[in-house]
Amino acid sequence: MSIYKKLSKMGGAKRFEEKLYELLQTDTYKTYVYQYRDLGEGMAVLHKDFWGWYKPWMVMNHNTRTAFEFMDDDEKLVTITKDDIDWDSLKNLPENVVMRARKLSFHFPSFIRSYRNGVAQVDWQLNPDGRYYMDDDGFGITSDVEIEIYGFIDTEGRRIVKFQAVSDHKDLEKMRDEAEKMVKLAKM
């Protein structure tokens, strides 16, 4: 039964996010199909096995006892939209890579990093290194270069700083500083 059918059967006056959190605490989501990872600051991610790869599926906020779907079962981003991408920063990337961003495809290994000061960095891989295609015997490797874009989300999965290609680690630090300042201002 899909998670949405299970949620629709849950009665009570709780909000959807609260029901989802409650459902994710059940034994069903403590099996080998799922992996729980603490993200700090009362946040956690539930990874789901997609064809042998564990990917960030649901994010839980233990502080508010709510959860949100980050990626759906088709490996598409749910809380991130096309408006959350800095398209100018992608203009020099190959068209097939930009197309994956347009489709909000979260198919390749991507990560939600730990929360710090209310924000988490998201590493969104749009193109894997050629070894991704390699089989157990080393055949199938391609010359593909890994391409990632980065963004920052808050504790409700909303984009704080747009996803963008970065040229070096200093750009990523600037993005984090901007995200932390925006979250701090929103709390005032």
Side-chain angles (χ1 to χ4, degrees):
M1 179 184 312
S2 82
I3 197 161
Y4 293 102
K5 286 184 182 177
K6 290 177 185 177
L7 286 170
S8 68
K9 291 184 178 195
M10 293 175 75
K14 291 183 180 175
R15 295 183 347 217
F16 174 82
E17 296 83 5
E18 293 169 325
K19 289 180 183 180
L20 180 58
Y21 177 86
E22 195 173 285
L23 181 63
L24 294 176
Q25 304 308 307
T26 64
D27 288 343
T28 301
Y29 299 97
K30 294 179 179 153
T31 66
Y32 70 92
V33 176
Y34 307 96
Q35 284 184 345
Y36 175 91
R37 181 171 169 252
D38 180 39
L39 296 176
E41 297 188 356
M43 300 296 296
V45 64
L46 187 65
H47 290 87
K48 184 177 179 181
D49 183 349
F50 287 86
W51 305 100
W53 294 91
Y54 284 94
K55 298 180 181 181
W57 179 51
M58 299 282 179
V59 177
M60 295 173 279
N61 184 330
H62 298 303
N63 302 315
T64 60
R65 300 184 57 77
T66 57
F68 60 87
E69 183 180 33
F70 187 73
M71 178 184 74
D72 68 18
D73 287 339
D74 293 324
E75 300 176 284
K76 304 283 187 235
L77 293 171
V78 175
T79 63
I80 304 303
T81 70
K82 292 176 186 176
D83 291 336
D84 296 327
I85 300 169
D86 177 352
W87 294 104
D88 286 340
S89 76
L90 277 58
K91 65 183 175 191
N92 293 325
L93 298 179
E95 183 55 35
N96 65 323
V97 172
V98 175
M99 181 60 67
R100 289 183 191 124
R102 280 191 200 110
K103 291 180 178 181
L104 302 174
S105 173
F106 215 63
H107 175 73
F108 297 115
S110 299
F111 306 94
I112 301 173
R113 302 294 178 185
S114 294
Y115 275 83
R116 190 172 79 221
N117 297 320
V119 299
Q121 175 181 314
V122 178
D123 304 358
W124 180 2
Q125 189 175 105
L126 294 173
N127 199 69
D129 178 283
R131 292 174 291 181
Y132 175 86
Y133 301 104
M134 178 175 66
D135 66 16
D136 291 340
D137 296 323
F139 293 103
I141 196 168
T142 68
S143 61
D144 283 290
V145 175
E146 185 175 301
I147 299 172
E148 291 184 320
I149 60 175
Y150 303 89
F152 286 85
I153 60 172
D154 67 10
T155 58
E156 294 179 20
R158 294 178 300 224
R159 180 267 306 161
I160 301 299
V161 174
K162 285 190 176 193
F163 283 84
Q164 56 196 276
V166 299
S167 57
D168 62 34
H169 189 69
K170 288 181 182 179
D171 290 340
L172 210 47
E173 289 174 14
K174 288 177 189 172
M175 289 170 63
R176 171 169 281 287
D177 289 344
E178 180 183 346
E180 288 180 9
K181 286 176 188 170
M182 292 173 74
V183 166
K184 188 177 181 180
L185 285 173
K187 288 181 181 179
M188 295 179 140

